[in-house]
Amino acid sequence: MITVDTYTNANEVSGAFGSDTAIMGGGTLLMGALNYGRQNITKIVRITDPVMKQIADAGDRITIGAGVTMSEVIRSRDLVFLAPVAQSVGGPAIRNMATLGGNLFAGTPYGDFTVALLALDGIVKYANGSEQDLEGFLASRGNRRDLVVSVSVKKPAANEFRYRKVVRVKPMGRSVLSIAARLPTSAGRIANPRVAFGAMGTTPLRAKAVESALDGAALDANGIQAALAAVSKEFQPPDDSLASGWYRNEIAPVYLRRLLLNEGGA
Ligand SMILES: Cc1cc2nc3c(=O)[nH]c(=O)nc-3n(C[C@H](O)[C@H](O)[C@H](O)COP(=O)(O)OP(=O)(O)OC[C@H]3O[C@@H](n4cnc5c(N)ncnc54)[C@H](O)[C@@H]3O)c2cc1C
């Protein structure tokens, strides 16, 4: 039997919880897992604390509650830069339920929203008040069993943030790969960029060799050559029913180029 506990205060769920307990976000993944076999879950935890739904603008960062859905992101005036990312997650019914918190735990080829959060220097906040950078969270998410309350991201300047998702089935297929980049510039050169890929590993990953190659380069066809050369050596992408790892590595530079130069074509 599965029991459902509802908490009105997120702090009461702070600290690690057992492997028999699952947090309920929108349930788009969790309910499938429960219905089709994860019988070891005996307790579901629902949190109705408004902190899970906050969208708070604070200087150069913005905090997004873990319970904010993709549809709420699309409707938010503060999150206009993330609207195309949220729009790329599933169809309307999924977007109405799917939360940011659940997306952090979605396995490849899902996790498109998390790719964007990674490129925006996401910081995960837990119910006990502790924080962790999103990269560290993703590296250990299989082991860490804490309630995520929110993720804060850097607010990009106009035209600084880019996102693309490559799918076989349009408009709402799963990712062959996805790419998000934050490309600040200084004196006409890229300065301290962030580039993250989805579906190129078991979690969204930063492309650090690509970031190094772009740092200080001009954002034009010549300036990005070293970054394009670096990307196919950066990851060991998985084979799945959508694409082989070899194919993902072949197309990564093509789509990275289109993203960086704002070219058309998916
Ligand atoms: C038909 C379909 C299409 C989809 N398309 C896409 C897509 O295009 N792109 C994409 O990225 N994803 C896609 N998904 C996957 C999924 O819908 C999303 O990743 C969604 O964001 C998951 O959020 P959720 O709130 O439904 O998670 P849930 O199913 O509620 O939870 C998923 C996991 O995260 C844990 N969890 C949830 N919230 C928290 C929290 N606050 N703290 C700690 N743990 C938590 C849960 O315990 C569970 O283990 C799709 C799913 C379906 C069924």
Side-chain angles (χ1 to χ4, degrees):
M1 194 177 81
I2 298 178
T3 59
V4 181
D5 289 351
T6 302
Y7 290 80
T8 53
N9 183 345
N11 291 337
E12 290 172 11
V13 196
S14 72
F17 47 82
S19 59
D20 61 342
T21 304
I23 303 291
M24 174 66 84
T28 60
L29 292 173
L30 181 60
M31 290 315 295
L34 291 177
N35 289 336
Y36 295 104
R38 277 207 8 226
Q39 303 298 345
N40 56 332
I41 299 292
T42 56
K43 191 159 90 176
I44 290 177
V45 169
R46 285 179 64 235
I47 300 104
T48 56
D49 191 329
V51 76
M52 302 291 287
K53 286 284 188 186
Q54 69 176 328
I55 299 173
D57 192 334
D60 66 341
R61 296 189 73 88
I62 188 154
T63 298
I64 313 167
V68 171
T69 65
M70 297 300 123
S71 295
E72 287 164 344
V73 169
I74 293 164
R75 287 199 297 271
S76 167
R77 286 188 189 172
D78 292 325
L79 299 176
V80 170
F81 57 99
L82 283 171
V85 186
Q87 192 74 47
S88 80
V89 173
I94 292 291
R95 290 195 287 272
N96 282 342
M97 301 298 290
T99 64
L100 174 155
N103 202 266
L104 297 176
F105 291 87
T108 296
Y110 294 143
D112 301 315
F113 200 74
T114 305
V115 176
L117 301 177
L118 191 56
L120 293 166
D121 283 343
I123 296 175
V124 174
K125 185 169 182 184
Y126 298 101
N128 64 7
S130 67
E131 294 187 336
Q132 183 179 28
D133 66 78
L134 180 54
E135 198 179 6
F137 166 87
L138 289 168
S140 64
R141 75 176 174 186
N143 310 320
R144 183 131 198 176
R145 303 193 59 77
D146 281 340
L147 172 67
V148 175
V149 170
S150 62
V151 175
S152 83
V153 294
K154 270 202 178 130
K155 279 192 291 188
N159 302 321
E160 210 175 78
F161 178 70
R162 316 262 173 96
Y163 171 77
R164 288 211 180 191
K165 174 171 171 176
V166 182
V167 294
R168 288 197 187 278
V169 181
K170 292 187 180 179
M172 54 188 193
R174 293 175 298 154
S175 282
V176 174
L177 61 80
S178 55
I179 320 175
R182 193 170 64 85
L183 302 166
T185 52
S186 173
R189 303 257 159 189
I190 304 167
N192 201 17
R194 290 287 181 274
V195 181
F197 277 76
M200 295 296 275
T202 52
T203 67
L205 293 165
R206 267 178 62 189
K208 294 197 176 164
V210 170
E211 291 174 359
S212 301
L214 288 175
D215 201 10
L219 191 49
D220 60 28
N222 283 336
I224 66 169
Q225 282 310 318
L228 301 186
V231 70
S232 1
K233 300 181 195 82
E234 183 98 67
F235 305 112
Q236 293 181 311
D239 297 330
D240 61 19
S241 58
L242 297 168
S244 65
W246 174 86
Y247 179 75
R248 288 184 157 101
N249 264 335
E250 287 292 306
I251 65 168
V254 175
Y255 286 96
L256 179 61
R257 178 193 158 92
R258 290 181 186 176
L259 173 117
L260 293 172
L261 299 183
N262 260 337
E263 291 174 346

